[in-house]
Amino acid sequence: MDQIPTVHVTDLPDDALVVDVREADEWAAGHAPGAVHIPLGEVPARLGELPESDEPLPVICRSGGRSQRAVQWLVQQGFDVVNVDGGMRAWGTSGKPLTSEHTDEPYVL
């Protein structure tokens, strides 16, 4: 496989449209405000839910491993996607905004 297309968190706007492939508990704890949640195992069945974008679509997980697998597979299916280097850990440490599904302070699980 060729090099996985990658984007750095700092190159994304705070309100970037991203696909978050983490599990439900990780998503609920904290995610990017502009994220669409499709857990990695559900990606093949939910391709119709991938947002349309004029730019390559960023895919994110906790640290970059699961999103890299998703990007590799999606590229093979003809999608224009990029892996977010460092994942949500990098998103959080770079000071980008987080939102959560509950009232607690959002965090990266």
Side-chain angles (χ1 to χ4, degrees):
M1 177 75 194
D2 294 331
Q3 181 77 16
I4 300 290
T6 302
V7 64
H8 292 281
V9 163
T10 53
D11 294 333
L12 294 172
D14 287 354
D15 62 349
L17 177 64
V18 297
V19 175
D20 191 323
V21 297
R22 297 176 302 153
E23 295 302 313
D25 59 334
E26 295 172 289
W27 167 264
H31 55 269
V36 174
H37 185 224
I38 305 177
L40 180 61
E42 299 176 19
V43 169
R46 295 175 62 185
L47 291 177
E49 295 177 44
L50 288 173
E52 292 190 19
S53 175
D54 294 334
E55 301 286 322
L57 186 62
V59 181
I60 199 164
C61 65
R62 181 174 53 220
S63 59
R66 285 172 285 177
S67 54
Q68 179 176 323
R69 291 200 304 273
V71 165
Q72 188 172 10
W73 187 83
L74 287 165
V75 165
Q76 291 171 344
Q77 310 312 307
F79 288 90
D80 189 11
V81 291
V82 292
N83 187 34
V84 179
D85 189 39
M88 285 303 300
R89 285 184 173 161
W91 183 278
T93 58
S94 71
K96 291 197 173 287
L98 286 171
T99 188
S100 72
E101 299 300 300
H102 45 69
T103 56
D104 297 342
E105 188 71 25
Y107 62 95
V108 176
L109 186 60

